Amino acid sequence: MSASSRLGSPLRIVRLSSPEAVVGHAVGDVLGLAAGIAVSPLPIVAIILILATPRGRLNGLLFALGWVLGLAALGALMLAVGGTGGASTHKNPATWVGALKLALGALLVVFGARQWRRRPKDASQAQLPKWMTAIDGFTPIKILGLALLFSAGNLKNAPLTIAAGASISSSGLPATQQVVTLVIFVVIASLGVLAPLVVYLVMGERAKSILRSWRDWAAQHNVAVLAALFFVFGLKLLGDGISILAT
């Protein structure tokens, strides 16, 4: 007679989640946030303008580097704050993570409302910031600083990166796997900025017409796209925060 028969109940087999499954779940939590950062019209316009300067190749690479460093540094800061266990209790996100997402969500919704009021009635009349007309005279240091400002100091990208870092730190993953998840997040969040650079490096002069059409579309729809993204991800973070605080 088997042990399970003697106990009068079927043998229960407990399957622990594999590390890959846990990492996959963590990546899934931040994938949407990364996509929201990737769709950033103004930084895309900026790198296209930079690529059109006499030192376009060097300046474009510097801008991409600054963008990646800004996101990585802000995300790493959140991982350090949350640690490997401080952001989670009994495998659930800690209360402060829920409160943080709630605050960030409310902030994004407010910014979304402001952006929507500022949108031009006619998209063809949308204008880029005046400083962009002088971007061809920027030094490499200014290019790097501009990229850091667009990634880590942006009113949309900074809250989304902070929220992603909080989600990763509350996932219960070991430190190494948290870093891997953050790297995946940064790569996906950088696709929008890296796409013009890749097109430029691969196609050279032939890329000018393609990049010009991207620039014109992003410039015309920048405010409306930002307003929509603020609302969508603000509501998402509000929902996540409420869900965490309610458990």
Side-chain angles (χ1 to χ4, degrees):
M1 184 179 294
S2 66
S4 59
S5 299
R6 289 196 302 269
L7 292 173
S9 62
L11 183 63
R12 298 175 62 190
I13 301 175
V14 179
R15 294 184 179 179
L16 299 177
S17 298
S18 66
E20 292 80 5
V22 178
V23 172
H25 180 73
V27 171
D29 282 344
V30 300
L31 191 60
L33 301 177
I37 296 174
V39 185
S40 297
L42 211 53
I44 293 173
V45 171
I47 193 170
I48 291 174
L49 292 175
I50 288 168
L51 291 172
T53 62
R55 295 181 295 181
R57 183 183 297 268
L58 173 62
N59 289 339
L61 290 170
L62 283 174
F63 187 88
L65 175 63
W67 173 274
V68 169
L69 287 177
L71 294 179
L74 191 56
L77 178 63
M78 285 308 302
L79 295 191
V81 170
T84 56
S88 59
T89 55
H90 305 295
K91 302 300 181 182
N92 292 319
T95 301
W96 72 265
V97 175
L100 176 64
K101 289 190 173 184
L102 198 64
L104 293 175
L107 191 67
L108 288 178
V109 169
V110 170
F111 286 146
R114 191 180 70 171
Q115 285 290 115
W116 186 254
R117 288 197 301 269
R118 290 174 53 195
R119 78 191 190 283
K121 289 183 168 54
D122 185 357
S124 63
Q125 296 179 353
Q127 295 181 347
L128 292 172
K130 292 182 179 180
W131 58 264
M132 279 195 168
T133 60
I135 207 167
D136 58 343
F138 279 19
T139 64
I141 296 299
K142 283 187 177 181
I143 294 291
L144 196 61
L146 179 65
L148 290 170
L149 182 63
F150 269 134
S151 58
N154 184 271
L155 292 178
K156 171 176 68 70
N157 299 337
L160 294 181
T161 303
I162 291 171
S167 292
I168 295 170
S169 66
S170 64
S171 63
L173 290 169
T176 303
Q177 293 178 348
Q178 286 191 13
V179 172
V180 171
T181 306
L182 178 62
V183 169
I184 295 172
F185 167 81
V186 171
V187 169
I188 296 172
S190 302
L191 292 179
V193 164
L194 293 178
L197 178 61
V198 171
V199 170
Y200 175 84
L201 294 176
V202 172
M203 298 182 64
E205 291 296 318
R206 294 175 298 164
K208 286 186 177 180
S209 61
I210 298 175
L211 295 180
R212 191 180 301 114
S213 65
W214 290 4
R215 179 200 64 196
D216 293 343
W217 187 93
Q220 289 180 8
H221 301 284
N222 170 57
V223 177
V225 169
L226 279 181
L229 291 174
F230 275 131
F231 276 125
V232 170
F233 289 100
L235 292 175
K236 179 188 184 305
L237 291 180
L238 282 173
D240 290 348
I242 292 171
S243 177
I244 293 171
L245 294 175
T247 56

